[in-house]
């Protein structure tokens, strides 16, 4: 296989920017009719081999990215809300969720509210709205999948 000339090397570098042979030829300094040389340079065995060699890592990375996206979509699509609860129906800690379950959860809001003891009145709050010592609290969770 023939060696690339400096101008052909420049064409290869320019082609790798946008994968457009005509634009690469223009940026490399070809003008007028010779702009069609972009296609001719793409037919050059040495230039084509260099382009393929340079593109191989990009293509491998794109395949990995595409595969990752498909796995992530499957995790979201096939997540099961039952996986966030234990056998008694209590919400598991997020650290106990598997990857698929964690990926399928869009949001989690946890709050507490005061539970009054006995009948009516303070409902576990003092006059300033703060909790009263000894009052029970109930947890509430809102889960979006």
């Amino acid at each position: 296989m023939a060696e690339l000339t400096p101008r052909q090397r420049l064409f290869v570098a320019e082609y790798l920017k946008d994968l457009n042979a005509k634009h690469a030829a223009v940026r490399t300094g070809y003008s007028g009719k010779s702009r069609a040389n972009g296609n001719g340079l793409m037919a050059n065995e040495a230039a084509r081999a260099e382009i393929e060699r340079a593109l191989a890592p990009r293509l491998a990375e794109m395949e990995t990215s595409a595969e990752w996206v498909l796995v992530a979509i499957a995790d979201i699509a096939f997540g099961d809300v039952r996986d966030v609860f234990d056998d008694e129906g209590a919400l598991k800690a997020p650290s106990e969720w598997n990857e698929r379950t964690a990926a399928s959860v869009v949001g989690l809001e946890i709050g507490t509210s005061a539970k009054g003891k006995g009948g009516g009145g303070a409902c576990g709050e003092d006059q300033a709205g703060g909790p009263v010592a000894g009052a029970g609290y109930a947890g509430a969770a809102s889960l979006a999948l």
Side-chain angles (χ1 to χ4, degrees):
M1 182 177 352
E3 183 121 355
L4 292 175
T5 66
R7 195 171 195 186
Q8 288 171 331
R9 275 198 246 320
L10 183 58
F11 169 80
V12 169
E14 290 298 324
Y15 177 79
L16 292 171
K17 289 179 181 178
D18 61 5
L19 305 181
N20 185 310
K22 181 179 178 182
H23 292 165
V26 170
R27 290 190 304 264
T28 305
Y30 292 97
S31 61
K33 280 188 169 181
S34 63
R35 287 183 187 167
N37 239 356
N39 291 332
L41 287 166
M42 291 301 292
N44 178 302
E45 194 175 311
R48 188 75 200 153
E50 182 61 20
I51 288 168
E52 288 175 7
R53 184 198 61 75
L55 286 178
R58 288 188 198 178
L59 294 174
E61 185 178 319
M62 288 173 60
E63 287 174 14
T64 300
S65 296
E67 182 180 330
W68 182 86
V69 168
L70 290 174
V71 168
I73 289 170
D75 285 345
I76 293 166
F78 300 114
D80 188 343
V81 69
R82 294 172 294 187
D83 292 337
V84 299
F85 300 101
D86 64 19
D87 292 336
E88 285 78 42
L91 184 65
K92 293 179 185 176
S95 61
E96 297 176 25
W97 300 348
N98 62 36
E99 292 297 318
R100 175 167 278 176
T101 300
S104 64
V105 174
V106 175
L108 177 63
E109 187 177 318
I110 299 175
T112 59
S113 61
K115 246 182 10 181
K117 290 193 173 193
C123 287
E125 296 178 0
D126 65 13
Q127 291 177 340
V132 173
Y137 287 90
S142 173
L143 184 67
L145 295 178

